């Protein structure tokens, strides 16, 4: 008699649990715009939610600790003249958020650590380049101040937020509306899903498609595509019979999926959220009341169903907390912020463990808030892996760092024509070499990082003294 062998995995027993009622965010008028974005963005300091707003578009930013009933006069971020469609926090500065709108603009905002007394109406920078509504935003994972936007004009535009300039415009790669865009782990490639039923892998700096798959799913409903940590691609879509599907693709053979998982029959588009540290994909359908999650492994059958978190209320949107914002003392491996019609409900995903010690196997080093590259270095062709941080002592968010936008002034450029010649001695004396300037910038940045780390340690000690735990 053959015995069935159960697959060994530390994530087999992951379970989801909503927080208590007093830890929810109540009385929020969540946006009713018909657009398939998540409507919510979260980082270790703030939760931002796109809300209903008369006379333009707005979103609300709440400090994570400000739970309970939200004051109806709570200040909003209200710079757009039409509904906001997407928002995304900068991965390298927890006080900077970008918003995209039907008014064809992208705006970047600096959110203060304190709650402002009135609506915020002045962004740090407004990025104008699209001719139709902008529905997708995503920051570069490793390069400072690089933001990608995708609009209804089928354009992908990469911006340098630090100067307010376009870095690249990818114009003729898509023939129809772009449904989703996702960077790979080091930001060298993009994967896009389009209404023309094609999934494309794009090298943005070469401005070319390096791999393409037509009709990864047979159904007519929207597709989503994301990169895995090992370079594979995960897509969600529909079969001809409207069954929702999850497929895994290997770029070395883009003809057939290496795994295909069918789920249920429903109209809701599946929004995939991916945790590269645990290799778990979470699927949240708009209008669903459940979150399905799957573990992706390197050996066949590749995709393993883990479990489903179910509740009674359907979700209008979903926010996903970065790993450095989780509570490592409770073995929390993911936290979702589920949007209802009038509230936001955090849902905690936990691995049951008996020990109170730090679990090294659950928390490998994870991408931190420091960029690995400058925008100019990335544009010149350089790639770098994310700068990792340890979660062993619990992540302490950095203090508010101001985003400085330096616009290049046309008057600063030298006039055309013959230039006054310098003697070689004068040039060498007055102009330090580029390497010296970059070296000094690196040294200063390391000093600032060391000081910020020391300040965080001292504040942590101070809070221990004040709590009487030291």
């Amino acid at each position: 008699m053959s015995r069935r062998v159960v697959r060994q995995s530390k994530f087999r027993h992951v379970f989801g649990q909503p927080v208590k009622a007093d830890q929810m965010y109540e009385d929020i008028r969540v946006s009713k715009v018909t657009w398939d974005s998540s409507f919510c963005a979260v980082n270790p300091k703030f939760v931002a939610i796109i809300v209903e707003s008369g006379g333009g578009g707005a979103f609300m930013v709440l400090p994570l600790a400000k739970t309970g009933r939200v004051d109806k006069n709570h200040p909003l971020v209200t710079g757009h003249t039409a509904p906001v469609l997407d928002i995304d926090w900068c991965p390298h500065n927890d006080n900077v958020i970008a918003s995209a709108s039907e008014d064809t603009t992208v705006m970047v905002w600096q959110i203060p650590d304190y709650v402002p007394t009135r609506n915020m109406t002045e962004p740090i920078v407004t990025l104008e380049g699209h001719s139709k509504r902008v529905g997708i935003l995503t920051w570069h994972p490793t390069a400072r101040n690089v933001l990608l936007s995708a609009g209804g004009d089928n354009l992908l535009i990469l911006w340098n937020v630090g100067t307010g300039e376009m870095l690249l415009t990818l114009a003729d790669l898509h023939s129809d509306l772009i449904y989703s865009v996702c960077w790979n782990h080091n930001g060298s490639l993009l994967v896009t899903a389009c209404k023309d039923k094609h999934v494309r892998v794009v090298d943005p700096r070469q401005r070319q498609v390096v791999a393409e798959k037509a009709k990864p799913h047979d159904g007519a409903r929207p597709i989503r595509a994301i990169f895995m940590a090992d370079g594979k691609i995960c897509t969600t879509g529909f079969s001809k019979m409207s069954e929702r599907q999850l497929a895994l693709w290997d770029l070395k053979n883009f003809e057939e999926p290496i795994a295909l998982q069918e789920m249920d029959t429903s109209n809701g588009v599946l929004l995939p959220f991916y945790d590269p540290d645990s290799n778990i994909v979470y699927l949240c359908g708009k209008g669903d009341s459940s979150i399905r999650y799957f573990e992706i492994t390197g050996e066949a059958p590749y995709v393993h169903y883990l479990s489903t978190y179910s509740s009674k209320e359907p979700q209008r949107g979903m926010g996903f907390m970065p790993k450095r914002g989780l509570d490592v003392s409770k073995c929390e491996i993911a936290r979702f912020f589920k949007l209802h019609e009038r509230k936001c409900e955090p849902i905690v995903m936990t691995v049951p463990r008996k020990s109170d010690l730090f679990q090294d196997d659950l928390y490998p080093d994870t991408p931190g808030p420091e960029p690995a590259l400058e925008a100019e270095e990335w544009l010149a062709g350089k790639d770098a892996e994310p700068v990792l941080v340890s979660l062993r002592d619990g992540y302490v968010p950095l203090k508010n760092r101001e985003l400085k936008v330096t616009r290049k002034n046309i008057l600063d450029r030298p006039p055309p024509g013959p230039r006054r010649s310098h003697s070689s001695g004068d040039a060498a004396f007055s102009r330090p070499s580029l390497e010296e300037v970059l070296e000094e910038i690196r040294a200063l940045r390391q000093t600032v990082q060391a000081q910020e780390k020391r300040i965080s340690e001292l504040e942590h000690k101070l809070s221990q003294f004040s709590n009487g735990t030291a």
Side-chain angles (χ1 to χ4, degrees), residues 169-383:
T169 303
L170 307 177
D172 301 318
L173 303 182
H174 299 85
S175 59
D176 212 329
L177 181 68
I178 300 164
Y179 284 142
S180 76
V181 182
C182 178
W183 294 98
N184 67 349
H185 72 289
N186 69 353
S188 59
L189 295 173
L190 295 163
V191 61
T192 66
C194 182
K195 194 175 180 179
D196 63 8
K197 296 188 180 178
H198 282 241
V199 168
R200 297 173 175 86
V201 178
V202 178
D203 185 332
R205 288 168 296 193
Q206 301 296 325
R207 305 180 194 223
Q208 66 183 24
V209 176
V210 296
E212 189 169 358
K213 172 63 184 168
K215 294 188 76 170
H217 300 275
D218 293 329
R221 304 272 304 143
I223 302 165
R224 289 283 187 280
I226 55 172
F227 262 114
M228 303 284 102
D230 60 0
K232 292 187 179 74
I233 288 172
C234 175
T235 60
T236 62
F238 295 78
S239 69
K240 281 183 180 174
M241 307 299 292
S242 287
E243 285 181 314
R244 295 196 289 193
Q245 297 176 325
L246 169 75
L248 191 67
W249 306 81
D250 192 336
L251 285 182
K252 295 168 189 163
N253 179 14
F254 216 1
E255 290 306 308
E256 292 294 326
I258 57 174
L260 182 67
Q261 191 99 15
E262 294 198 334
M263 281 161 276
D264 56 358
T265 304
S266 174
N267 286 329
V269 175
L270 286 169
L271 304 178
F273 296 93
Y274 175 57
D275 174 16
D277 295 340
S278 59
N279 254 339
I280 295 179
V281 174
Y282 302 87
L283 301 181
C284 310
K286 276 213 155 179
D288 286 10
S289 54
S290 61
I291 302 171
R292 289 179 181 81
Y293 38 107
F294 299 83
E295 186 178 357
I296 311 295
T297 59
E299 298 165 1
Y302 301 106
V303 177
H304 306 271
Y305 171 74
L306 291 174
S307 187
T308 299
Y309 164 80
S310 297
S311 59
K312 293 177 183 174
E313 298 285 325
Q315 53 229 17
R316 298 281 293 277
M318 195 70 80
F320 186 56
M321 175 68 81
K323 207 61 175 275
R324 55 196 174 88
L326 303 180
D327 186 347
V328 297
S329 65
K330 294 179 180 171
C331 296
E332 183 182 339
I333 62 161
R335 192 186 312 160
F336 290 92
F337 286 71
K338 174 180 171 179
L339 299 186
H340 299 246
E341 198 170 335
R342 299 281 300 188
K343 71 177 179 183
C344 173
E345 174 189 33
I347 296 164
V348 176
M349 297 286 180
T350 308
V351 176
R353 290 277 169 97
K354 291 178 180 176
S355 171
D356 292 334
L357 299 175
F358 178 74
Q359 306 292 313
D360 296 85
D361 59 328
L362 296 184
Y363 301 106
D365 289 356
T366 195
E370 286 304 322
L373 293 169
E374 296 299 325
E376 296 79 9
E377 292 176 308
W378 178 78
L379 189 62
K382 193 173 176 184
D383 289 322

Side-chain angles (χ1 to χ4, degrees), residues 33 39 57 60 63 86 107 128 157-158 164-165 194 259 261 264 286 343 393 432 435 445 455 461:
V33 174
F39 287 178
M60 176 185 287
D86 198 13
M107 293 183 178
E128 297 176 313
I157 301 180
L158 284 103
E165 293 179 318
C194 182
Q261 191 99 15
D264 56 358
K286 276 213 155 179
K343 71 177 179 183
D393 299 319
E435 287 78 10
R445 190 171 290 137
I455 289 169
K461 283 184 181 175

Side-chain angles (χ1 to χ4, degrees), residues 18-28 42-47 49 60-72 74 115 321 335-337 342-348:
V19 298
K20 294 175 182 170
D22 61 347
Q23 293 176 308
M24 298 181 191
Y25 307 86
E26 308 263 4
D27 259 11
I28 298 168
V42 198
N43 72 15
K45 281 187 177 182
F46 301 103
V47 53
I49 300 164
M60 176 185 287
V61 178
L62 297 166
L64 277 187
K66 194 174 177 58
T67 54
R69 195 172 296 278
V70 177
D71 186 349
K72 66 179 182 201
H74 190 282
V115 178
M321 175 68 81
R335 192 186 312 160
F336 290 92
F337 286 71
R342 299 281 300 188
K343 71 177 179 183
C344 173
E345 174 189 33
I347 296 164
V348 176

